[in-house]
Amino acid sequence: MTTEVPVARLRAFSYDIFQAVVLSEVDATSVTEAMIHADLRGHGSHGTTRIPIYAERLKAGVVKARPEIRITRRTPAFLQVDGDNGPGPVVSNAALDALLEAVKDTGIAAAAIGHSNHNGPGSYYVERAVRAGCIAVAMTNAPPSMAVFGGRAPALGTNPITFGVPVEGEAPILLDMATSVVARGKIVEAAKRGEAIPEGWALDAEGRPTCDARAAEAGVVLPMSGAKGSGLAIMVEVLSGVLSGGRFAHDLGNLYSDFETPQDIGHFMMLIDVSGLNVASGAGRLVEALKATALADGFVRILMPGEVEQTRAASADSIVLPRNVLDDLDVLARRLGLGSLSEMV
């Protein structure tokens, strides 16, 4: 069972929740917009389903509602950011703002961001950078939920990577992917609803392949393409955790079960200012050439990375929430003395 919620209503509800757990107006908006971005693009695992856990961690004080984010320009083109255990979207937006200023001077700039928290969809930040005329790369580490290639115990996070390129006259090329076979959030959501998952996604706690989402949640998600996905995840760990001076792999706090230890998530971003170059027009020609490729059997057109999501977002004025997500949001609202979302739709 699902419920269709107008975007404006869900946005206002989320904003009220985060104001109630004492985020500033600007920061409540920042966190809300990252989640709405994910929902509009069909990635509910990183959308408003996360409102309760974000709010609970803020209320418990394990995430700082009013962080003092410190940005140090180590070299003209390299920033080191200390997020002071602030909400991930707040820390990441502050880092991106600083990078967008730095890249005007240097043409290329990177930031290693430490002492942060879960920051939602990487495409949210990359799209911002692309709109400002940049090629952008963003990545983040995460608590262990994925096996390293050859192992069967949680060793690495799903460690997503996002790339974005401006395209003249078209939506940007935007690749946003976990280094696992699937984002673990999709397994978590399937487990909540008692649904099966596809074969090849995960192992159970004993290291056996499983299609049971609850058993998978207790086990590990698998790296995409075996050793290749595992290798990419390790490099994300280096750039996001090691370079930022934060924690990594087994030392990261768990989002859902640890309300004593800060997550200490790390992120990495790199921008290349291409606003004065012919990159957008060249990328447009590339897209045109690729879309003209002869089609394989069963296909009706060639799609670029991110095209499905961006098309969906452009035409959506409501978000479909599963019943369990709506129920969780209603429980949270009542606990905070606010009106339930169900009563508003």
Side-chain angles (χ1 to χ4, degrees):
M1 183 178 174
T2 58
T3 301
E4 198 167 316
V5 183
V7 172
R9 188 60 55 85
L10 188 54
R11 180 178 278 119
F13 174 83
S14 175
Y15 176 83
D16 287 345
I17 290 288
F18 288 114
Q19 282 269 271
V21 291
V22 301
L23 287 191
S24 69
E25 292 182 14
V26 170
D27 291 351
T29 299
S30 183
V31 175
T32 293
E33 290 306 318
M35 292 180 170
I36 295 290
H37 172 99
D39 275 329
L40 284 174
R41 283 152 183 76
H43 295 296
S45 60
H46 283 63
T48 45
T49 185
R50 302 274 182 157
I51 289 175
I53 192 62
Y54 278 23
E56 286 173 31
R57 292 183 71 82
L58 283 160
K59 204 165 184 297
V62 73
V63 174
K64 284 189 181 179
R66 303 294 173 111
E68 295 181 12
I69 299 168
R70 292 176 289 279
I71 299 174
T72 305
R73 201 160 177 174
R74 296 294 182 191
T75 71
F78 179 65
L79 310 180
Q80 199 157 28
V81 180
D82 181 343
D84 193 33
N85 193 30
V90 174
V91 175
S92 295
N93 274 317
L96 181 55
D97 288 341
L99 268 181
L100 287 169
E101 283 300 311
V103 81
K104 291 177 186 176
D105 300 328
T106 59
I108 182 168
I113 306 151
H115 314 305
S116 182
N117 287 278
H118 187 279
N119 70 343
S123 59
Y124 176 67
Y125 312 103
V126 166
E127 281 193 20
R128 273 195 62 203
V130 169
R131 287 195 297 271
C134 295
I135 289 175
V137 180
M139 56 191 74
T140 182
N141 64 8
S145 60
M146 185 173 83
V148 68
F149 182 67
R152 64 181 180 90
L156 295 164
T158 56
N159 294 6
I161 305 173
T162 312
F163 296 85
V165 181
V167 178
E168 189 172 73
E170 299 277 350
I173 301 170
L174 205 151
L175 176 66
D176 189 3
M177 65 179 202
T179 52
S180 54
V181 173
V182 65
R184 188 171 183 274
K186 294 185 185 298
I187 293 175
V188 172
E189 290 303 305
K192 287 179 182 176
R193 295 190 289 272
E195 296 172 355
I197 59 171
E199 187 176 350
W201 276 18
L203 306 177
D204 66 16
E206 303 303 318
R208 299 170 301 208
T210 183
C211 294
D212 183 324
R214 291 195 177 99
E217 194 176 17
V220 291
V221 66
L222 292 169
M224 68 167 193
S225 302
K228 294 179 181 179
S230 180
L232 283 172
I234 291 167
M235 297 314 298
V236 172
E237 205 71 65
V238 171
L239 291 172
S240 299
V242 177
L243 183 61
S244 71
R247 290 186 286 167
F248 44 86
H250 289 292
D251 289 333
L252 293 171
N254 188 281
L255 179 66
Y256 290 98
S257 63
D258 187 346
F259 284 80
E260 299 293 330
T261 309
Q263 278 201 282
D264 209 5
I265 296 293
H267 321 297
F268 176 82
M269 296 183 187
M270 184 176 71
L271 307 184
I272 305 171
D273 184 359
V274 295
S275 56
L277 304 175
N278 293 321
V279 169
S281 61
R285 293 194 299 275
L286 171 62
V287 168
E288 185 179 355
L290 294 175
K291 284 181 173 285
T293 301
L295 294 172
D297 289 346
F299 289 83
V300 296
R301 62 190 176 115
I302 303 292
L303 296 170
M304 291 297 101
E307 186 174 348
V308 170
E309 290 85 353
Q310 291 170 93
T311 300
R312 182 187 288 123
S315 60
D317 56 8
S318 63
I319 292 167
V320 177
L321 295 182
R323 184 73 240 178
N324 68 291
V325 173
L326 189 62
D327 288 345
D328 288 346
L329 294 174
D330 285 347
V331 168
L332 174 62
R334 287 193 292 271
R335 200 179 298 154
L336 295 173
L338 301 173
S340 73
L341 183 59
S342 294
E343 295 169 353
M344 301 177 188
V345 297

Coordinates of all heavy atoms in Angstrom, one line a residue, residues 92 111 113 119 122 126 137-141 159-163 232 235-240 265-270:
S92 N 28.2 18.9 3.8 CA 28.6 18.8 2.4 C 28.2 20.1 1.6 O 29.0 20.5 0.7 CB 27.8 17.6 1.7 OG 28.2 16.4 2.3
A111 N 38.2 18.9 -2.2 CA 38.0 19.0 -0.8 C 37.9 17.6 -0.2 O 37.2 16.7 -0.7 CB 36.7 19.8 -0.5
I113 N 36.6 15.9 3.2 CA 35.6 16.4 4.2 C 35.5 15.3 5.3 O 35.1 14.2 5.0 CB 34.3 16.6 3.6 CG1 34.4 17.6 2.4 CG2 33.2 17.1 4.6 CD1 33.4 17.4 1.3
N119 N 25.1 11.8 4.2 CA 24.8 13.0 3.5 C 23.8 12.8 2.3 O 23.6 13.7 1.5 CB 26.0 13.7 3.0 CG 26.8 13.0 1.8 OD1 26.5 11.8 1.6 ND2 27.7 13.7 1.2
G122 N 24.5 11.6 -3.6 CA 25.6 12.4 -4.2 C 25.2 13.2 -5.3 O 25.8 14.3 -5.6
V126 N 26.4 17.1 -6.8 CA 27.0 17.1 -8.2 C 26.2 18.0 -9.1 O 26.7 18.8 -9.9 CB 27.2 15.7 -8.7 CG1 27.5 15.7 -10.2 CG2 28.4 15.1 -7.9
V137 N 33.0 15.5 -9.3 CA 33.1 14.2 -8.8 C 32.9 14.2 -7.3 O 33.4 15.1 -6.6 CB 34.5 13.5 -9.0 CG1 34.5 12.1 -8.5 CG2 34.8 13.6 -10.5
A138 N 32.0 13.4 -6.8 CA 31.8 13.3 -5.3 C 31.7 11.9 -4.9 O 31.3 11.0 -5.6 CB 30.5 14.0 -5.0
M139 N 32.2 11.6 -3.7 CA 32.1 10.3 -3.1 C 32.0 10.3 -1.6 O 32.3 11.4 -1.0 CB 33.3 9.4 -3.6 CG 34.6 10.0 -3.3 SD 36.0 9.1 -4.2 CE 35.8 9.7 -5.8
T140 N 31.6 9.2 -1.0 CA 31.5 9.2 0.5 C 31.7 7.8 0.9 O 31.4 6.8 0.2 CB 30.1 9.7 0.9 OG1 30.0 9.6 2.4 CG2 29.0 8.8 0.4
N141 N 32.3 7.6 2.1 CA 32.4 6.3 2.7 C 31.2 6.1 3.6 O 30.3 6.9 3.7 CB 33.7 6.1 3.4 CG 33.9 7.0 4.7 OD1 33.0 7.7 5.1 ND2 35.1 6.9 5.2
N159 N 30.0 2.8 -0.3 CA 30.9 3.8 -0.8 C 30.5 4.3 -2.2 O 31.3 4.1 -3.2 CB 32.3 3.2 -0.8 CG 32.8 3.0 0.6 OD1 32.1 3.2 1.6 ND2 34.1 2.7 0.8
P160 N 29.5 5.1 -2.3 CA 29.0 5.5 -3.7 C 29.9 6.6 -4.3 O 30.6 7.4 -3.6 CB 27.6 6.1 -3.4 CG 27.6 6.5 -1.9 CD 28.5 5.5 -1.3
I161 N 29.9 6.6 -5.6 CA 30.6 7.6 -6.4 C 29.7 8.3 -7.4 O 28.8 7.6 -8.0 CB 31.7 6.9 -7.3 CG1 32.6 6.1 -6.4 CG2 32.5 7.9 -8.1 CD1 33.6 5.2 -7.1
T162 N 29.8 9.6 -7.5 CA 28.9 10.4 -8.4 C 29.8 11.2 -9.3 O 30.7 11.9 -8.9 CB 28.0 11.3 -7.6 OG1 27.3 10.6 -6.6 CG2 26.9 11.9 -8.6
F163 N 29.5 11.2 -10.6 CA 30.1 12.0 -11.7 C 29.1 12.9 -12.3 O 28.0 12.4 -12.6 CB 30.8 11.2 -12.7 CG 32.0 10.3 -12.2 CD1 31.8 9.1 -11.7 CD2 33.3 10.8 -12.3 CE1 32.8 8.3 -11.3 CE2 34.3 10.0 -11.9 CZ 34.1 8.8 -11.3
L232 N 37.2 -0.3 -6.2 CA 36.7 1.1 -6.2 C 36.3 1.5 -4.8 O 36.6 2.7 -4.4 CB 35.4 1.2 -7.1 CG 35.7 1.3 -8.6 CD1 34.4 1.2 -9.4 CD2 36.5 2.5 -9.0
M235 N 39.3 2.5 -2.8 CA 39.8 3.9 -3.2 C 38.9 5.0 -2.7 O 39.4 6.0 -2.3 CB 40.0 4.0 -4.7 CG 41.0 3.0 -5.3 SD 42.6 2.9 -4.4 CE 43.1 4.6 -4.6
V236 N 37.6 4.8 -2.6 CA 36.7 5.7 -2.0 C 37.0 5.9 -0.5 O 37.0 7.0 0.0 CB 35.2 5.3 -2.2 CG1 34.3 6.2 -1.4 CG2 34.8 5.4 -3.6
E237 N 37.4 4.8 0.1 CA 37.7 4.8 1.5 C 39.0 5.7 1.8 O 39.1 6.4 2.7 CB 38.0 3.4 2.0 CG 37.8 3.2 3.5 CD 36.3 3.2 3.9 OE1 35.5 2.4 3.5 OE2 36.0 4.2 4.7
V238 N 39.9 5.5 0.8 CA 41.2 6.3 0.9 C 40.9 7.8 0.8 O 41.3 8.6 1.6 CB 42.2 5.9 -0.1 CG1 43.4 6.9 -0.2 CG2 42.7 4.5 0.1
L239 N 40.1 8.2 -0.2 CA 39.9 9.6 -0.5 C 38.9 10.2 0.5 O 39.0 11.4 0.9 CB 39.3 9.8 -1.9 CG 40.3 9.5 -3.1 CD1 39.6 9.5 -4.4 CD2 41.4 10.5 -3.0
S240 N 37.9 9.5 1.0 CA 36.9 10.0 1.9 C 37.3 9.9 3.3 O 37.1 10.8 4.1 CB 35.6 9.3 1.7 OG 35.1 9.5 0.4
I265 N 31.6 10.1 9.3 CA 31.6 9.8 7.8 C 32.5 10.8 7.2 O 32.6 11.9 7.6 CB 30.2 9.9 7.2 CG1 29.3 8.8 7.8 CG2 30.2 9.8 5.7 CD1 29.6 7.4 7.5
G266 N 33.2 10.4 6.1 CA 34.0 11.3 5.3 C 33.5 11.4 3.9 O 32.9 10.4 3.3
H267 N 33.8 12.5 3.2 CA 33.4 12.7 1.8 C 34.6 13.3 1.1 O 35.5 13.8 1.7 CB 32.2 13.7 1.7 CG 31.2 13.6 2.8 ND1 30.4 12.4 2.9 CD2 30.7 14.5 3.7 CE1 29.5 12.6 3.9 NE2 29.7 13.8 4.4
F268 N 34.5 13.2 -0.2 CA 35.5 13.8 -1.1 C 34.8 14.4 -2.3 O 33.8 13.8 -2.9 CB 36.5 12.7 -1.6 CG 37.5 13.3 -2.6 CD1 38.6 13.9 -2.2 CD2 37.3 13.1 -4.0 CE1 39.6 14.4 -3.1 CE2 38.2 13.6 -4.9 CZ 39.4 14.3 -4.4
M269 N 35.2 15.6 -2.7 CA 34.6 16.3 -3.8 C 35.7 16.9 -4.7 O 36.7 17.4 -4.1 CB 33.6 17.4 -3.4 CG 32.4 17.0 -2.7 SD 31.3 18.4 -2.3 CE 30.1 17.6 -1.3
M270 N 35.5 16.9 -6.0 CA 36.5 17.6 -6.9 C 35.7 18.3 -8.0 O 34.8 17.7 -8.6 CB 37.5 16.6 -7.5 CG 38.5 17.2 -8.4 SD 39.8 16.1 -9.0 CE 38.8 15.2 -10.2

